[in-house]
Amino acid sequence: MTRSDTSPRGDRIAHPVQLVQPDGRRVHDPEHWRLVADVDAAHMLDMYRDMVVARRIDTEATALQRQGELGLWAPLLGQEAAQVGSAHAVTADDYIFTSYREHAVAYCRGVPVEKLTALWRGTAHSGWDPDEYNITNPAIIVGAQGLHATGYAMAARLDGAEIATVAYFGDGATSEGDISEALSFSVSFGAGVVFFCQNNHWAISEPVALQSPLPLASRAAGFGMPALRVDGNDALAVLAVTRAAAHRARTGGGPTFIEAMTYRMGPHTTSDDPTRYRADAERDVWAARDPLDRLDRLLTREGALTPSVREDIAATADDVATRLRSATISAVDPESSTLLDHVYAEPHAVVDRQKETLR
């Protein structure tokens, strides 16, 4: 494999990449526009559709939790561009390692919407077979997926597989040892990992400024890894930088750290009350930077988002929401005897005794 020439250039930590302004106007940035030169109106509409559907999935699942149909849900409201833009940048062969908020990424990877809530309802140990869609189930241990992605990428390189792995995590995870270890190993062994940090500004109730006085991307640069920041509410900018990072990973260039600047508009999870620790004024500032509105304005400005297209997208979102609700409510509770299945790959005496006690 040969090294790629698509490593980040210029000071992209101090100046995040942006291709579309909040009002829908394009930004002059030839370096990054060339990375999405093939993205026509049809492709942008596909991304917009996925973002609208992702928001509807999130709204429906949040409502289901409030109605007692889900035990918990981690909302993605406000982070649709970061997730959809990056998901559109990878190939079917690339492998995705998520945290617990990447519902839009799973949807874009082809995971049936009917499988998105099984884990959160407690009717299954997992939602889907990761190898079927090349995306893992939600990881609850904060930062662990960074190590998993690095190990997978190291193995892929030894096998001669020219793929990228993508590790999604939040700003809070950058304070975990697992992420530091993953960054260190990936640089040392040239592992093709895209470390995709969604900096949504709040690690549960702690602001990101409490974790680091400097941009989080600076931490990766300290490991000797190319790092950049991108406007995480700009789907096209996210698509561009993730494409470059994934290409670099596939062609032997090693890992890249992307800090997508976005905002968690809702609670950390549905068990959280964000009004107890953040001001409404801050939320209002980010509401004006809404990722769906931004792409909507661009597509409207350029004549691609017609009333009939809007109706079609709305119908798709309605259908997805209906399927999600129906599958969630009709999910069959598993037999209690299966609770301890799959703890070990082989029979285990301790588990057998626990099963007997359970019976």
Side-chain angles (χ1 to χ4, degrees), residues 19 25 43 57 73 92-93 122 132 170 175 183-184 288 297-298:
L19 295 181
R25 290 182 295 170
H43 190 167
I57 288 171
W73 182 254
D93 290 335
E132 187 175 353
S175 294
L183 296 175
S184 178
R297 289 163 182 157
L298 173 66

Side-chain angles (χ1 to χ4, degrees), residues 76 109 114 174 210 235 270 307 310 356 358:
L76 62 81
R109 294 296 280 180
E114 291 84 356
T174 63
L210 189 62
T270 47
R310 287 183 187 278
E356 183 60 33
L358 185 61

Side-chain angles (χ1 to χ4, degrees), residues 43-215:
H43 190 167
M44 285 192 287
L45 281 171
D46 285 342
M47 287 199 295
Y48 179 73
R49 182 188 301 270
D50 286 345
M51 290 166 64
V52 171
V53 171
R55 180 165 292 186
R56 185 61 185 279
I57 288 171
D58 190 62
T59 301
E60 196 69 28
T62 299
L64 284 163
Q65 194 283 328
R66 300 305 190 203
Q67 294 160 8
E69 299 294 346
L70 294 179
L72 191 71
W73 182 254
L76 62 81
L77 182 64
Q79 300 179 217
E80 295 88 353
Q83 294 193 22
V84 172
S86 57
H88 275 248
V90 295
T91 69
D93 290 335
D94 295 331
Y95 213 103
I96 311 298
F97 294 79
T98 72
S99 67
Y100 42 74
R101 203 182 303 278
E102 283 73 44
H103 318 301
V105 179
Y107 176 76
C108 290
R109 294 296 280 180
V111 175
V113 67
E114 291 84 356
K115 296 185 177 184
L116 292 180
T117 56
L119 185 68
W120 304 100
R121 187 172 170 86
T123 56
H125 288 297
S126 62
W128 58 86
D129 178 357
D131 285 342
E132 187 175 353
Y133 307 100
N134 281 4
I135 181 172
T136 60
N137 279 264
I140 304 301
I141 301 174
V142 177
Q145 68 275 18
L147 292 172
H148 304 157
T150 301
Y152 195 97
M154 290 168 63
R157 185 172 185 182
L158 290 172
D159 284 346
E162 296 185 356
I163 67 166
T165 67
V166 183
Y168 285 91
F169 52 94
D171 47 287
T174 63
S175 294
E176 294 287 341
D178 283 0
I179 292 298
S180 290
E181 292 167 7
L183 296 175
S184 178
F185 264 80
S186 64
V187 171
S188 296
F189 294 95
V193 187
V194 179
F195 291 96
F196 195 90
C197 174
Q198 292 178 84
N199 181 353
N200 63 23
H201 287 76
W202 288 93
I204 307 183
S205 59
E206 300 295 352
V208 68
L210 189 62
Q211 298 185 71
S212 175
L214 298 174

